[in-house]
Amino acid sequence: MIRKHKITVTLDWASINKDVQDKAYRMARLAKLGVDDATAADRLESEITLGDEDMSLLKRAMSQGLAEVITMCGQYVWNTSHTSDNYVIDSKDVTITLMMPINFNLAGCESLGQMIHAYIVAKAMTEWYRYTVPARAAEQQALQDGARNEIRKIINARVRLSGNVKAIEIIVGKE
């Protein structure tokens, strides 16, 4: 039997959703007020809400971001806690269990969870900006690409083994 580390990444879906909504709200506010400076926008009073269409687009993009992460980690994915996009959209937590080689660099586990969160947020914002503020989409795409590169770097990081190494189980995120 090949020994592997079991890494469970638990994503707080409600937190990801909140981050996405907060960023979208701030951008909508800046766009509506016609200013580039967030401080100037804060001084102006305005009622801005994200409509159903905005929320639907953001949630679909978040689900797509999660699917892309699972594809990126594909050869290591052992199990995921969701069964459909509808489940993910209404979920509070999503877990991804990875079976990593015994020489996987365990130092990257916490960063992996953070980068997956960042990737999903950036994916949602990139898609939303393409429809709402196209001039800002490239900036979000760069954030998404950076997070993707970090995820790949972390899952491909290996260490030199010395002596008898035991397989361990690590839980990243809530639990």
Side-chain angles (χ1 to χ4, degrees), residues 6 31 41 48 53 57 61 73 90 101 105 135 145 157 160-161 163-164 168 172:
K6 182 178 179 184
I48 297 176
E53 199 171 297
L57 173 64
C73 301
D90 297 325
N105 186 351
D145 293 343
R160 181 180 300 186
L161 297 178
N164 189 14
I168 63 170
V172 177

Side-chain angles (χ1 to χ4, degrees), residues 6-8 13 44 63 69 77 92 104-105 125 130 154 157:
K6 182 178 179 184
I7 313 296
T8 301
W13 202 251
L44 300 170
S63 292
V69 166
V77 174
K92 289 197 169 102
F104 171 70
N105 186 351
M125 296 312 302
R130 283 188 181 140
I154 292 166

Side-chain angles (χ1 to χ4, degrees), residues 17-85:
N17 191 36
K18 184 178 181 331
D19 287 352
V20 167
Q21 286 184 39
D22 287 349
K23 286 184 177 205
Y25 173 82
R26 283 196 308 274
M27 186 38 123
R29 187 168 186 218
L30 292 173
K32 184 172 183 176
L33 296 173
V35 296
D36 291 328
D37 180 14
T39 307
D42 287 340
R43 282 184 254 137
L44 300 170
E45 291 297 319
S46 179
E47 289 294 320
I48 297 176
T49 59
L50 297 174
D52 290 342
E53 199 171 297
D54 292 307
M55 294 309 300
S56 180
L57 173 64
L58 290 169
K59 287 180 178 184
R60 278 194 316 274
M62 288 167 53
S63 292
Q64 184 180 2
L66 177 62
E68 290 173 4
V69 166
I70 291 170
T71 299
M72 273 184 256
C73 301
Q75 67 183 346
Y76 305 112
V77 174
W78 181 60
N79 191 13
T80 60
S81 70
H82 64 282
T83 55
S84 71
D85 286 349

